[in-house]
Each structure stands twice: as C-alpha cells, then as structure tokens.
Amino acid sequence: MKRFCRTVLNGGVAFLFLLSTCIPVSAGPTTLTPYVSIREEADDNILYTEDNEKSDMITILSGGILAQRKTERLDARVDVKLRKLFYKEYDQLDTTDKYLTLGADYK
C-alpha cells in the first residue's frame, strides 16, 4: 500500500507539472501537442474470469505527444502515448503500455 501511494503521488506530481505545461507548440504547418490524464476506476473482475473473480481499484496515468503536420494537400499525424496502470491490492499486475499511432491523408 505504501509503495502504491508513493508511486501515485510521485507520478501525480509529475503529471500535474506536465499538465501545467501542456501548451501546443506550432512551427509553420507542424504542431506538437502534449497531453496527460489521471483517472481511477473500480473493476470487479480484473482477471476476466468466470470463477474466482477478484476486484480492485486501478489508477491509470497516461500521457503522450501528438505531432501533426497540415498543409494544403497533406494531413499527417504521429501520436506516442504511455499508459501506466497501478493496482491497489494486486500490485503484481501493475503494467506499462506503450502506443504508437500513425496516420496520413493526402489529397
């Protein structure tokens, strides 16, 4: 429990700092937009099993950066995101997910 609280507090402080600096930056047709979020949810079946259901509170910290380039003919996007899940009681299930999304439209 102490490790959970310390990790969430440290991560929360870092995310609040980042949140205060989440201002999009533009240079011509290119824009960089950082984003962060923190949320908590209750799950009554964290292992998705029919038998031996286990419930827990999950704190989810996520953040990333979206890079966009828009011109007359091109709209390109790169989105990089990290998501950290903290389980209150079953901390052996804590995990970090990484995402990369690419997209483009050309006219």
Side-chain angles (χ1 to χ4, degrees):
M1 179 68 174
K2 286 183 181 179
R3 184 189 71 79
F4 172 79
C5 291
R6 184 174 45 248
T7 303
V8 169
L9 286 175
N10 289 341
V13 169
F15 271 98
L16 289 175
F17 172 76
L18 289 175
L19 183 60
S20 69
T21 61
C22 283
I23 300 170
V25 177
S26 295
T30 303
T31 304
L32 297 176
T33 307
Y35 57 91
V36 295
S37 70
I38 182 170
R39 66 186 174 103
E40 191 163 74
E41 63 184 44
D43 192 329
D44 60 357
N45 191 0
I46 60 174
L47 301 176
Y48 302 108
T49 60
E50 292 183 24
D51 300 330
N52 196 21
E53 293 181 358
K54 301 199 182 301
S55 60
D56 204 350
M57 293 294 294
I58 307 167
T59 302
I60 303 166
L61 300 173
S62 61
I65 189 162
L66 172 64
Q68 289 182 295
R69 181 168 178 87
K70 290 185 178 185
T71 63
E72 188 176 311
R73 303 191 80 171
L74 177 68
D75 180 3
R77 298 162 303 284
V78 176
D79 190 3
V80 179
K81 178 180 178 180
L82 289 175
R83 185 177 76 159
K84 178 73 177 171
L85 282 74
F86 298 96
Y87 290 81
K88 185 175 181 180
E89 292 186 36
Y90 298 96
D91 60 359
Q92 68 273 19
L93 298 176
D94 289 0
T95 186
T96 302
D97 299 321
K98 302 158 200 85
Y99 301 92
L100 173 64
T101 306
L102 305 172
D105 296 317
Y106 185 77
K107 301 175 188 173

